[in-house]
Structures are given as structure tokens and as C-alpha cells.
Amino acid sequence: MELLKELNKTSRILLRLLRISSPYSGWMILLLVISIAASLIEVGYMESIRRIVKGATEANAGTVYNGAILGLAMIVLRFVGDAWSSHMTVTLNNRSVTHLQTQLLSKLASSSYQETGAYHSGDLANRVWDSARDAQLGLNEKMISLLRNGIQLVIAFIYFSWVNITLSLGLIGYTLLFIFLAVPISRWLHKSYDIRNALTAERDSLLTEVIHAPEEIRTYALGSHMRRQFQKKWNMVVKQAMKVSLLERIVDATGRLSTFGGMLFILIVGGLQIYKGQLDIAGLAAFLVASGQLTRPLESIAGLWAGLMEAVSQANRAFDVMDMPNEHHNKPAADLAFAPEKGVVLQHLSFSYAKGKEHVLADISFHACSSHITVIAGPSGSGKTTLLHLLSGLYVPTMGSIYYEGLHHDNLSLQKLRPRMGIVPQEPFVFEGTFRENIKLGSEEQSDDNMIIAAKMAFIHERIMLHPSGYDTMIGSQGVQLSGGEKQRLTLARALFKKPSILLLDEPTSSQDNLTDENMNLALRDAAKHRTVIVVTHRLASMRRADQVVFLNNGRMIAAGTHDELVAKSSEYADFIHQQEITEEGRV
Amino acid sequence: MKNPKTASVWLHWSIILRFLRPYWIIGSLIAVLLLGDAVFDMSVAFTQGFFIDALQENGRAEIMRLSFMILSALLGFILLLAVHRYLLVWLNYAVHKDMSLHVFDAVNRLPFLFFQKQLPGDILLRVKEDTKHGTDLIEAAVEFITVLIIIGLSFGYLMKVDRLLAVFAIVSIFLIFFSSRFFDKRLQSEAASVETEEAEAQNKILEYMNGIAVIKHEDASQWLISRFARHQTVLHRYRSKLAMTETMADGTAMAVFSTTQLIALALIGLSAARDTLSPGMIVACGLLFELIVWPVLGLSRQWSKMYKAVGAFQRIYDWMEKEPSLEANKNKLESSWTEPLELKLTDVSFWPHTAERPVVEGITMEVRAGEIVAVVGPSGAGKSTLCKLMAGLYEPTSGLVLLPNGSASEQLMKENEDVTYVSQSPAFFSGSIRDNMVLNKMGISDLALIAAAESAALQSVIEQFDDKYEAQLEEKGLNLSGGQRQRLSMSRVFLRQSGLYIFDEPTSALDVQTEQKVMQSLFSFLDGKTAIMVTHKMELARLANRIVVMESGRIVEEGTHDELMQRRNLYFKLCTSGM
């Protein structure tokens, strides 16, 4: 029963993989046809050898020449066929693997942020790059080979039955025996592959982390420490791999047993037939020389089956990504129009990471008016960034509502909302590429003028123009290195370039000097003229000048209002500001 | 050995042999078993002919006895082969692991600047995959030797039976083997190109994963995917080329093999027609010929595979040999420091290739023991670069950065605790909060841990977790807020006793209250210690003994807060703006 379930699961995964590769089914069928033709060529070659051997044992030179000519023709055909099928295979592989990988990548972009966050990025990369490739190649190559070998077996069987039916039936008996042995082992093998792949991914995750922490590794002298960790992970991989190897050896051995047992079978049964006078020595000799054609596919099937199991295991890892829940895609209630003047309204907003868990944010309500700057303030760890994640749609509210320019968040699709929102995250992210690419992020059709305006507003234009190639200068590891403040300004330019009506900023000036901070504040003030701007900040000056301050502590909203109002009505806020003033007062 | 490429194969082998040395017992065991493997292949061919002849000469009972003998021999051989294979896989993993660890070490010791210039995906690939190609070489070699033994044994036997056939077999061997050599060079260079492009592709995927939030917001997935797909077409072109070359090499060898096989069989047939070869001998000769020539096909493939592997292995070979050069600069140490200095910079400039102008230029400064120096200046002035120079992460383009025991970059390689450096964007590792605080410092007591957490104003954060110090940190510490991450990185400082502390904007993400707390404990911790602190917060800068003001990579002002305020220059402007 369990065996059937397992087979069922395996075939379901394979079917799913086939469904995904359906655009390439034509290719696959064509390849299968080519490979069947190739096996016919093999049969032709085999026949030529049989004729030569038969001719030799019967001392008939005519049959020998006849066989040799047939053989040569087959060799030429095979060379051409191989080249053609190899070309087809590599093209199919390239296209179908990229197809699967791009599907996974776009799926990741539309998956829930919390869900992708649960995976290590090294693990995800491993799934997209390695697992997808192994799975697809498994399907393309192993599956087709398996089918081809199956067909080859049938063709060979028909051919051999024509030569000697008893011997052929006997060999088939071995095949069945082998399949009965191989299936339960492959189930173990499947499980062991899963474990090994998971361990390998874990090892690679550590590697990814270390590669991303070169400063810590060097300055804290973590080299040998991390090496030990890496070694530990490696040891676990090796241990599991050796378990897998043991199972693989058993599969190999069964394969060999079946092949050579088959050979022995031919010899014994054929020998007995000779004694009975049903077969002559020449016939047995020819059968033996050519019997590789029957046993070789069998041997291949053994290896291919194990390979296919590995592909299934990898496919499963890729499908985990495919099955991630999507971000909320609400159906927009029929053509509701945004009313930018209404700003952003939060009503009794609460959020927890999982059902039943403590609320990280509870009962937050305020109105961020258009043409105003709303500052979110509060001690570190009070939930400010989480609030911005909720506003930007990365997280979904557990309770309560957000009205974006008059529309309830349930009635809005993220596709409609996101173009209206510009976001500057706390930790700026820069892609490998040019300044231009980093600001436009694919909106190439937009004019350069818009880009330059955005860059000027974000005070990064002059920095960019320091380079002779200006906006086409490469940045990132292969190009110019930017300072923390410069990256922040670049992401601000990216956000402004979209001309959003809502602007969310998470400590946009934490790495700026006072002069730039001052300028950027003026720019924000300017940007807020016809926008809703929400800023998370620690800077006292920004709080003082904001149109509204929302003060958070421990995930609760303590108070909202102008700075002066808050100082008057909330003692907690007054304390918060007071301490800040003490430290900053001393200046000048 | 005929051309430089072949020579490089032997060069790589010297490395592989170095990694094989610890496993010489397993290695020699494999060599013995390898002989078994060869004998097995031989006897399979042999028994068949033997059996057929026996059919003619012996009775039924004799045949059954013979069958039983062959069957038990078969079982024994299968077991032997399984052991052989198992050991080989074990050896492969062992060497792969060792190589990977070695490259891992080398990567962690690469000069920081050089490291920064590499694509993360590329480094990943080198540690992970390229080392694998090294072990592929071992497998190829074992196969190679097995095949050579089989050929040798079969040839010896065939010589006894039919000289003409044996000579013909030898000619065929050379034909098959050298018909494929024609493709080797192309295989090698094409494999290397594929490897390089794969690294680039993998890097694009890593970048995608790391920027996923931005990609969602900006709806940039289509753009990035099309960028990825565009790159894939380049990779595909190389892959197709490689695959075609492989097929051509294989196909040629295969065609030559089949042709010679046909000719050989025809030769056997004709000689059988002439004189008296027994049917058993015909089968045996046919199989023996196959046994001599067929493996050459494998040999030829292994050789090609070896070339391919060498192409890829070359990429890590460079890094394997890159050992940090400690011997330089030793004598440059200034002999007579007149006062107790912790750090001395002499006319230091830093000008990476990619920059149009120096990032840091002509910096000369001294930091006395027990002094706290603040570095301020506009964003992009080169402050972080200066920090990295002082920490030894960067090697100055010209000038000297000296610590009491030698140059800063030398000290860095020594894995000691002379300098503690807190970077602007700290990195974290998967594991518990405790792991991330102590890092490699073993034997830190709970008391010390709590004290450090309290100093960094982190204790209240940790209290919120059910598992306290054992709470697991997510990747990059994403289950902490930005400010909490910064405090976690600061807590590391309180566990370390160093001669010099370097801080690059340690509190940029903290609210003023928390900053206040952290700074109070930091300054009392630093009492009597030496520190350099880059900051944008002028209220922090004024707490330092001395302030250095930077602009466009140069030091423009230097002095105490009061002195600088009186001068009414850049420092004054930075202080008075934003009020």
C-alpha cells in the first residue's frame, strides 16, 4: 500500500513537471522519436555483427561482407543521428531550464514576503539554480532515456524472439525480477536524496552567509571559527552522502546481477537447448555477441531509475517554491478611482506574525493627510518598520483597515497600489548595473529628464556626474563603491522617479551628514506639496517640523498630533523629546 | 606533455595528489580493487568463449558444475565492485570536502579589496562546484587506469591467439584515442567559458533573492528576469557549443571504434574461413577485441572529461595558491615612536582602479594610546574608507598604516584581537543571539554576556524572546529591527579587549534615548582605551578628545570641539545646520 502511495507521489511530481514543461512537449516527442530511430540503427548494427559472426562460424565469406557493408551504413547514420539529437537535447535543456527558472523567479516575486522570509536566501538560490536545473534535466534526459531504453528493450526483444524465443523470455524474466528488487530500494533512495539535498542546502547557506560577511570574518578573526562550522556541515553532508552511496551500490549490484545473470542464463539454457538439438553453436554464439543489445538497456534503466528519483527529489524542492502562498491579490471592486487628496488612513490596525501570536502592532489609527509630512517616531524596536511594511503591503494586517487615498486595502490589488507608492527602505539595496538602471529599474521607456529631476531632488545628481560616464557608470562590486549615505540617496531617487502619490521612507537620512540631511528635508518638504509622505525618523528636527507625529512605543500608538500638541498632551512623548534635547542642546 | 595545456594538467595533478596524500590507505586499496575490476571485465569475455567450447566437449553434469562455479565467482565480483565503488565515492567526498575547506580558508584570507571585487555568486561557485571538478579528475584517473589494465591484459592474451588481430587492435586504439584529441583544446576553453557564465548567472539569482523586497515594491521582477534571461542566452550559446564539441569528439571516436570492430570481426571471420578457429574462440576473440578497443572509447571520454574538469579547476587553482603574503612590510616598522601611539598613518592615499579620483588622499595622523578620536565630514568624504584602511581591510595605495606591531593589514591576517572594528552595516549569522554576540570567543560566562547585552541596551530586547539568549536569529538578523541589529553588533565590542577600537557610525539607526544609553556605557568601557569613531552626530563627536574633519578624501580640520567651533569652518557648518 505504502509502496503504491510512494509511486503515486513520484508520478504526480513527474506529471507536474511535465505539465510545466508542456510548451516543450513537441521537442520532447521529437527527441524521443530520434532516439527510437537511433535504437533501430543499433539493431541494424547488431544484425550486421550477427551476420559477420554467423558467416565466420559457417565459413561463409559472402555473409561476412554483406554484414560489414550493412554495419558501415549504420555507423554513418549513427554519427549523423547523434549530432542531431545532441543539438536538439542541449537546445531543449537550455530553453526548458530557463523556462522553469524564470517561472520560479517570478513566483518568488509574487509570493508572500513573510513566506519567502522563512527561507534562507542561499537555500532559495539553491532551489532556483540547482534544483530546478537538476529536475528539468532529469525529466529531459533521464525520462527520455528511460522511455528510449524501454522501447529499445521491446525492439530488441522482438528481434531476439525472432532468433530464439526461449532465451528471450528468460531474459525478460530477469527484467521483472530486477524491477521488483529496484522499486523498494528506490523508495529509500528517494528519501535519502531528500535528506542529502537539504543538508547540502544548509551547508551552502552557511557559505552564503560567510561570503556576505567579509568584514566580520576578517576583523573579528572568524576565519578558523567559521571553518569549523563549515566543516561540521560538510561532515553531515558526507555522512548522508555515504548512506546514499550504499543504497546506490545496492542498486548497481542488482543491475549487474540482472545483466550477468542474464548472460549466464543464456549460456546454461542455450547449452541445454544445444544438447536437445534445438539450437546450434553458431546460433548461441551470435545470440551471445549481440545479447548486449538486450542487457545494456536493462543496465541503463537501473541507473536511470536512480537518476530519475534524484530528479524527483529536486523537483520537489522547486515545487516548494511554486507552492508558496501568494501575496494578497484582492480583486479590485469595480473601477474605484483613487482620491489622492484623501491621503492614507489607518483604522484600528493590528498585526501579528502568525495566528494566535502576540500582536507586534496593536490598534493603530491615524490619518496621514495628503500634502503633509507624517513622522513616525518611537524608541528602537517599537514597531515603526513593521508599520511601514504593513503600509507598503509586504505584510497583511491581522485586524483593522488601511484606506489608501479613499480605498480600503481589501478592495485594492497590489499591482494597482504599488505604482502609486514610493518606498525608501531602511537598508538601501543596490543592483549590479549602472546608476541609470538602478533608478529606472526597468522603466526604460521613461525619459532621462524625469530621472535627472529625481536624482537632483535626492541630491545624488552631482555625485553621479562626478564620473565621466555619468548615469551609465557601473556600480556595485564590479564598479564604483558607494558610501552608505550615497546609497540612501540613490534609493530616494529611485522612489521619486516613480512620481508616487504616497511616499514611505524608513530613516532615509540615518547615514547623511547634517548638511545633506538639511537639504533632503527641504526636498521632502517640496515633494510633500502634492503627496502623502510618511517618514520613520530619529531626528528631532524632522519631528519638530512634521505636520503630524505618530508616537509609537512597544507596538502601541501612544499619541498622534503635531510636535507641540504631543509635548503638551503626552508625558511619554515629552520625556522622549526631553532626553533628546538634553543630548542635542549642547551643540552650538 | 606535448603542449602547455597538457603540462597544466600535470600541474593540477600535483595539487590533487597533495589532497590525496592523507587518504593513501584508501587510495591504495582502491588501486588493488581496481585490478579486480579489470580482471572481472576480462573474465566475463573469457568465460563466454570458454563455456561455448565446453558445451562441445563436456557432458551436462560438467556444464552444471561449471555454471555453479561461474555464478559464485560472479557474486563475489559484484560484491568486490560494490566495495570498490563505495570506497571511490568516499574518497571523492573526502577530497572534495578538503579542497572545499581549503578554498573556504583561502577565500576568507583573500585581500578584502580583491574580495569586494568578486561577484558573491562566483565565490560560491568556486568553493562549491569548482572543487568538485578537482575530484572529478580523480574519478577520471581511476577509470583511466582501470581501462589501461584491461587493455594490457586483453592485449597480452590476444597476442597469443592471433597476432594479426592484436596488432590491428593496437592500431585501432591509437586511431580512436587520437581522433578525439583533436577536440581537447576546444573542450577546455569552452568548459571554462561555461563556468564563468554560470557564476555570473548564479550571482544574478543571489542578487534577486537579496533584493526581493525592493523587487516587489518597484515591480522590477520582469525587468530583472529579462536581464537574467538575456544572460542565459549567452550561457546557452556556450553550453550548446560545448555540448556539440563533446558530441563531435564522442561521435568520431564511436564511429572509428565501430568501423574497426567491423573490420576486426571480418578479419576473424575470414581467418575462421581459412583455418580452424573453434566457435568458442571466435566469440572470445570478438569479445577480446571489443575488450581492448571498447575501453579506449571510455578512455578517450575520460581524457576529454579531464580536460573539461581542468578548464574549470583552473579557476580555483589561482585561489588555492593565493596564500597571504605576510613577509612584506616587516622592515617598514618605524623604530622610534616617541610617545605611546596606537596608530600612525603616514601620507596615506587610497585610489582603487574603478574610481576617477583618490577616495582618500594624503592622510597623516597619529592616534595616541588612551585617546578617542572622532571623524566627521559630509557623506561621501571617505570616512568609511579611512576606517577600513585603519582596520587593515584595505591596503593603502601609497603611504603606511602602522599599528604597534606592524602594518594594519598584516595584523589583520594574524587572526588576533588587536583591533576591533564595528562596520556600518554589520552582518549576522544564522544561529542564536548568543552565537552572534560571542562569535569565536569561547568560554564567555553568562554574566559577562548579560553585562555586554546591558551595555548595548540589548537586554530588554532579548528578554522579549522566549528562548532569551538561545533565541534563533533569522538570516541577516531580519527578526530584529534595524536599531536592534546595530545594538547586537555593538554588544560584540563589550566582549573584546583590543588595543584599538574602530567604529563606523555605530548608532546611526538608534533613537536618541537608546543611543544615549549605549554611548554612556561605551564611553565608560572605552575609558583608558583607544578608539576612532566615525559619526554624523555632532553631539557624539564633541565627546571625543579630538575631532578630525574630512572632506573629499582629505583632512581639512583637526582639533577639539571648542577650537573647531571658533574657526567657523566646515565643522562649524556641520554643527549649526539642522538646528
Side-chain angles (χ1 to χ4, degrees):
Chain A
M1 256 339 270
E2 212 184 315
L3 198 98
L4 281 178
K5 239 190 269 170
E6 199 62 39
L7 269 176
N8 193 14
K9 193 178 149 208
T10 306
S11 55
R12 259 210 320 276
I13 294 170
L14 280 175
L15 277 177
R16 187 168 173 194
L17 198 55
L18 266 175
R19 238 189 349 265
I20 291 173
S21 334
S22 60
Y24 303 98
S25 52
W27 283 81
M28 291 185 185
I29 291 168
L30 193 61
L31 258 176
L32 188 60
V33 171
I34 295 175
S35 59
I36 292 169
S39 23
L40 283 175
I41 294 175
E42 289 306 316
V43 173
Y45 185 69
M46 194 162 68
E47 172 64 15
S48 76
I49 289 180
R50 198 184 68 91
R51 282 186 196 176
I52 295 176
V53 174
K54 201 165 152 51
T57 34
E58 286 165 3
N60 183 343
T63 322
V64 173
Y65 287 131
N66 179 332
I69 290 165
L70 178 67
L72 280 177
M74 290 301 148
I75 290 168
V76 173
L77 273 177
R78 181 164 61 193
F79 187 79
V80 177
D82 276 356
W84 190 32
S85 88
S86 155
H87 179 73
M88 296 271 298
T89 311
V90 71
T91 315
L92 169 68
N93 286 349
N94 285 341
R95 293 194 186 171
S96 56
V97 170
T98 307
H99 176 71
L100 184 60
Q101 284 174 339
T102 47
Q103 276 203 331
L104 286 172
L105 286 177
S106 55
K107 170 67 200 178
L108 277 169
S110 63
S111 297
S112 136
Y113 183 65
Q114 266 184 279
E115 194 66 31
T116 49
Y119 289 87
H120 196 286
S121 66
D123 184 18
L124 287 178
N126 177 287
R127 282 169 201 258
V128 173
W129 182 249
D130 299 312
S131 299
R133 183 170 178 82
D134 288 352
Q136 189 70 49
L137 290 192
L139 186 75
N140 294 355
E141 290 173 356
K142 304 271 160 51
M143 189 79 161
I144 289 178
S145 298
L146 206 62
L147 283 174
R148 190 197 60 207
N149 276 293
I151 292 168
Q152 213 169 331
L153 204 63
V154 172
I155 294 175
F157 176 67
I158 294 170
Y159 171 81
F160 279 106
S161 305
W162 169 66
V163 179
N164 186 315
I165 182 83
T166 324
L167 288 181
S168 307
L169 275 179
L171 273 185
I172 293 305
Y174 264 96
T175 323
L176 291 176
L177 181 77
F178 171 70
I179 287 174
F180 273 113
L181 280 174
V183 169
I185 297 172
S186 71
R187 205 179 60 189
W188 288 335
L189 204 55
H190 187 150
K191 275 186 200 152
S192 314
Y193 278 138
D194 283 351
I195 301 175
R196 191 196 62 190
N197 294 344
L199 287 172
T200 311
E202 227 176 88
R203 181 199 69 198
D204 295 347
S205 298
L206 176 73
L207 185 59
T208 316
E209 280 184 354
V210 168
I211 290 174
H212 280 113
E215 291 188 0
E216 273 75 6
I217 297 295
R218 285 167 180 71
T219 56
Y220 284 106
L222 300 180
S224 7
H225 176 66
M226 283 301 159
R227 184 188 200 277
R228 276 194 297 278
Q229 306 267 324
F230 189 56
Q231 191 167 15
K232 234 184 260 167
K233 305 261 179 201
W234 243 117
N235 286 342
M236 274 155 73
V237 172
V238 173
K239 205 172 147 201
Q240 185 61 27
M242 290 328 291
K243 262 189 209 161
V244 168
S245 167
L246 195 65
L247 288 173
E248 281 177 340
R249 296 300 74 80
I250 295 174
V251 173
D252 281 356
T254 13
R256 283 220 171 81
L257 214 57
S258 141
T259 318
F260 296 117
M263 183 198 84
L264 209 58
F265 174 86
I266 295 174
L267 285 174
I268 297 171
V269 176
L272 291 179
Q273 281 187 330
I274 289 172
Y275 284 126
K276 281 184 198 154
Q278 288 162 340
L279 188 72
D280 56 1
I281 294 268
L284 181 60
F287 197 99
L288 255 188
V289 171
S291 74
Q293 222 51 43
L294 197 58
T295 48
R296 231 174 267 157
L298 267 179
E299 214 175 341
S300 310
I301 285 172
L304 287 170
W305 185 253
L308 199 63
M309 284 303 110
E310 188 166 5
V312 164
S313 155
Q314 295 285 17
N316 223 356
R317 282 172 53 76
F319 290 152
D320 283 345
V321 173
M322 288 280 192
D323 293 338
M324 283 181 180
N326 269 332
E327 282 186 298
H328 276 249
H329 283 292
N330 304 308
K331 286 223 176 72
D335 280 341
L336 289 174
F338 286 100
E341 70 282 358
K342 288 189 179 161
V344 176
V345 180
L346 283 76
Q347 283 181 355
H348 308 294
L349 196 70
S350 296
F351 175 72
S352 67
Y353 284 104
K355 259 193 189 145
K357 271 206 171 176
E358 209 184 329
H359 280 162
V360 190
L361 283 175
D363 201 22
I364 311 275
S365 305
F366 64 87
H367 182 182
C369 300
S370 176
S371 310
H372 281 72
I373 295 182
T374 302
V375 158
I376 299 173
S380 145
S382 57
K384 304 184 294 292
T385 299
T386 312
L387 184 57
L388 275 200
H389 281 348
L390 278 165
L391 284 169
S392 67
L394 284 182
Y395 292 161
V396 182
T398 318
M399 277 192 291
S401 333
I402 308 174
Y403 290 91
Y404 297 94
E405 306 187 332
L407 302 184
H408 189 271
H409 74 264
D410 272 345
N411 295 330
L412 262 174
S413 71
L414 287 165
Q415 284 96 325
K416 265 190 99 176
L417 178 63
R418 280 194 172 136
R420 305 188 69 81
M421 269 195 306
I423 290 156
V424 178
Q426 196 170 17
E427 268 159 38
F429 190 83
V430 175
F431 294 93
E432 300 272 336
T434 61
F435 280 113
R436 180 192 307 279
E437 285 176 316
N438 265 288
I439 294 175
K440 287 192 174 179
L441 280 191
S443 314
E444 295 295 339
E445 71 286 354
Q446 292 266 1
S447 77
D448 276 7
D449 292 345
N450 280 342
M451 174 183 73
I452 293 169
I453 290 170
K456 279 186 175 158
M457 275 184 81
F459 289 94
I460 189 74
H461 176 72
E462 280 171 23
R463 170 73 184 81
I464 294 172
M465 295 318 281
L466 277 181
H467 299 282
S469 19
Y471 284 87
D472 293 316
T473 310
M474 289 290 287
I475 48 178
S477 68
Q478 304 287 290
V480 173
Q481 308 264 340
L482 297 182
S483 80
E486 287 162 349
K487 282 187 196 163
Q488 275 181 337
R489 281 179 277 155
L490 185 64
T491 39
L492 179 62
R494 184 190 286 163
L496 289 172
F497 173 71
K498 280 168 82 182
K499 297 197 177 151
S501 56
I502 303 169
L503 197 54
L504 307 177
L505 306 114
D506 198 351
E507 300 193 32
T509 59
S510 61
S511 307
Q512 308 298 341
D513 59 274
N514 283 345
L515 285 175
T516 319
D517 179 47
E518 185 64 17
N519 287 333
M520 283 175 78
N521 273 319
L522 289 177
L524 271 190
R525 179 55 60 189
D526 196 39
K529 270 183 191 150
H530 35 270
R531 290 196 173 95
T532 310
V533 177
I534 301 176
V535 195
V536 168
T537 186
H538 290 307
R539 300 242 181 185
L540 187 57
S542 308
M543 289 180 224
R544 281 194 182 132
R545 278 179 303 196
D547 299 299
Q548 180 184 218
V549 177
V550 175
F551 181 57
L552 298 184
N553 198 0
N554 265 331
R556 307 280 182 282
M557 193 178 95
I558 307 300
T562 64
H563 173 75
D564 294 334
E565 281 169 21
L566 283 190
V567 171
K569 79 176 171 195
S570 161
S571 59
E572 242 179 288
Y573 183 74
D575 276 357
F576 181 72
I577 296 300
H578 183 62
Q579 284 188 31
Q580 196 132 345
E581 278 167 346
I582 295 173
T583 42
E584 293 191 21
E585 215 98 278
R587 315 192 307 187
V588 189
Chain B
M1 274 168 285
K2 281 175 201 154
N3 54 45
K5 290 283 177 196
T6 328
S8 79
V9 172
W10 302 119
L11 206 65
H12 293 311
W13 268 105
S14 74
I15 294 184
I16 291 166
L17 283 177
R18 201 169 77 211
F19 282 98
L20 272 175
R21 198 167 303 142
Y23 306 106
W24 65 273
I25 299 183
I26 299 285
S28 35
L29 214 60
I30 287 174
V32 173
L33 285 169
L34 190 142
L35 213 66
D37 198 354
V39 171
F40 175 68
D41 281 353
M42 278 278 299
S43 42
V44 165
F46 222 42
T47 6
Q48 298 185 38
F50 183 63
F51 203 96
I52 287 180
D53 282 343
L55 275 176
Q56 288 186 315
E57 290 152 19
N58 299 315
R60 250 168 111 148
E62 187 70 6
I63 290 297
M64 290 319 282
R65 204 177 59 81
L66 193 64
S67 316
F68 184 73
M69 253 172 57
I70 295 174
L71 187 66
S72 23
L74 179 70
L75 287 176
F77 269 122
I78 286 177
L79 189 70
L80 216 61
L81 281 181
V83 172
H84 179 199
R85 196 68 218 152
Y86 185 83
L87 286 179
L88 193 60
V89 171
W90 187 88
L91 184 71
N92 253 331
Y93 267 105
V95 173
H96 183 196
K97 182 180 91 178
D98 288 354
M99 277 194 192
S100 168
L101 283 170
H102 186 89
V103 180
F104 185 81
D105 263 352
V107 162
N108 285 335
R109 289 166 157 274
L110 285 177
F112 182 67
L113 188 64
F114 179 78
F115 185 97
Q116 267 190 327
K117 292 280 160 218
Q118 309 302 312
L119 295 173
D122 186 50
I123 302 172
L124 192 71
L125 208 67
R126 286 188 202 232
V127 181
K128 228 173 83 179
E129 302 286 329
D130 292 355
T131 46
K132 178 93 184 56
H133 293 299
T135 47
D136 283 348
L137 281 174
I138 299 177
E139 201 164 338
V142 169
E143 204 71 20
F144 207 89
I145 297 168
T146 315
V147 164
L148 280 182
I149 295 176
I150 294 176
I151 292 175
L153 287 175
S154 321
F155 179 73
Y157 186 77
L158 202 60
M159 269 306 266
K160 274 196 199 158
V161 182
D162 192 327
R163 289 208 176 187
L164 180 68
L165 202 58
V167 171
F168 183 67
I170 289 299
V171 173
S172 317
I173 286 175
F174 280 101
L175 274 178
I176 294 171
F177 191 76
F178 287 102
S179 66
S180 305
R181 296 293 65 71
F182 180 62
F183 300 95
D184 280 346
K185 264 192 191 170
R186 273 179 64 181
L187 273 179
Q188 197 181 24
S189 72
E190 281 169 5
S193 313
V194 166
E195 204 72 5
T196 319
E197 295 303 322
E198 276 186 355
E200 171 95 30
Q202 198 162 33
N203 192 58
K204 288 209 154 54
I205 287 178
L206 267 180
E207 182 184 52
Y208 192 91
M209 301 303 163
N210 289 325
I212 195 83
V214 180
I215 290 168
K216 279 168 183 289
H217 284 314
E218 308 294 335
D219 197 22
S221 68
Q222 281 320 307
W223 171 64
L224 282 165
I225 287 173
S226 70
R227 218 161 77 143
F228 171 70
R230 253 202 321 276
H231 180 261
Q232 286 293 87
T233 53
V234 178
L235 174 59
H236 291 167
R237 222 175 19 247
Y238 284 120
R239 277 210 184 121
S240 302
K241 262 195 200 164
L242 180 63
M244 285 322 284
T245 313
E246 273 177 314
T247 310
M248 284 299 147
D250 255 21
T252 310
M254 187 70 189
V256 176
F257 164 71
S258 302
T259 316
T260 51
Q261 189 187 23
L262 281 182
I263 296 172
L265 281 173
L267 279 180
I268 298 171
L270 293 178
S271 77
R274 266 200 316 274
D275 54 38
T276 50
L277 261 182
S278 73
M281 278 323 284
I282 294 175
V283 173
C285 281
L287 287 169
L288 268 177
F289 180 82
E290 206 178 324
L291 211 53
I292 296 180
V293 181
W294 175 258
V296 179
L297 212 55
L299 199 74
S300 176
R301 273 187 202 137
Q302 292 302 340
W303 191 264
S304 302
K305 213 173 136 191
M306 235 146 83
Y307 257 87
K308 238 173 80 181
V310 162
F313 191 65
Q314 180 71 42
R315 282 161 34 85
I316 57 159
Y317 174 78
D318 308 335
W319 285 12
M320 284 237 185
E321 296 302 284
K322 215 179 198 110
E323 294 291 337
S325 52
L326 281 176
E327 78 290 343
N329 292 338
K330 277 244 165 75
N331 44 359
K332 292 188 192 167
L333 220 155
E334 300 262 314
S335 52
S336 56
W337 284 8
T338 44
E339 42 189 330
L341 291 182
E342 276 299 336
L343 179 72
K344 182 173 178 160
L345 280 77
T346 326
D347 197 23
V348 170
S349 293
F350 184 67
W351 192 346
H353 302 298
T354 45
E356 277 90 21
R357 60 192 169 93
V359 184
V360 162
E361 202 178 357
I363 302 263
T364 301
M365 67 185 274
E366 291 180 350
V367 179
R368 285 180 293 278
E371 190 182 32
I372 295 177
V373 179
V375 180
V376 299
S379 144
K383 302 184 297 292
S384 296
T385 308
L386 185 65
C387 281
K388 290 196 174 80
L389 283 163
M390 290 171 170
L393 286 169
Y394 287 158
E395 191 79 70
T397 316
S398 66
L400 287 176
V401 181
L402 292 176
L403 294 171
N405 295 323
S407 86
S409 47
E410 256 173 54
Q411 288 307 106
L412 189 68
M413 284 302 173
K414 287 191 183 151
E415 286 212 352
N416 56 24
E417 244 180 50
D418 280 1
V419 178
T420 293
Y421 163 80
V422 178
S423 96
Q424 199 173 7
S425 43
F428 302 94
F429 303 95
S430 308
S432 65
I433 291 184
R434 175 198 293 271
D435 292 343
N436 272 284
M437 284 175 71
V438 301
L439 296 173
N440 59 342
K441 278 190 80 89
M442 295 301 147
I444 296 233
S445 70
D446 282 2
L447 234 58
L449 201 67
I450 292 170
E454 255 161 14
S455 300
L458 195 64
Q459 184 65 13
S460 60
V461 177
I462 295 170
E463 291 296 332
Q464 283 169 14
F465 287 103
D466 293 338
D467 299 328
K468 311 285 183 243
Y469 286 90
E470 300 309 323
Q472 292 296 307
L473 215 56
E474 279 174 18
E475 183 189 5
K476 298 183 195 129
L478 283 180
N479 50 345
L480 296 180
S481 80
Q484 289 167 344
R485 281 198 293 275
Q486 213 163 40
R487 281 182 268 163
L488 178 55
S489 132
M490 278 300 283
S491 71
R492 294 168 175 171
V493 173
F494 295 104
L495 292 170
R496 281 169 174 74
Q497 295 297 329
S498 301
L500 179 66
Y501 294 83
I502 301 171
F503 302 91
D504 193 356
E505 298 201 40
T507 57
S508 60
L510 298 187
D511 60 285
V512 174
Q513 278 78 354
T514 320
E515 181 180 43
Q516 187 72 4
K517 275 187 230 158
V518 175
M519 277 303 147
Q520 243 166 30
S521 36
L522 183 64
F523 273 94
S524 67
F525 173 78
L526 287 179
D527 188 36
K529 298 190 176 78
T530 319
I532 289 153
M533 188 180 297
V534 166
T535 184
H536 283 303
K537 307 207 172 174
M538 306 319 272
E539 63 272 15
L540 279 183
R542 64 175 300 178
L543 296 175
N545 304 107
R546 193 151 57 96
I547 300 164
V548 171
V549 187
M550 282 184 77
E551 192 179 24
S552 309
R554 293 174 166 281
I555 294 180
V556 289
E557 282 185 284
E558 210 176 334
T560 64
H561 173 75
D562 294 333
E563 288 166 18
L564 289 170
M565 286 309 279
Q566 275 168 8
R567 270 187 230 162
R568 306 211 150 226
N569 261 331
L570 181 60
Y571 182 79
F572 179 78
K573 267 189 242 159
L574 286 169
C575 272
T576 47
S577 63
M579 284 309 286

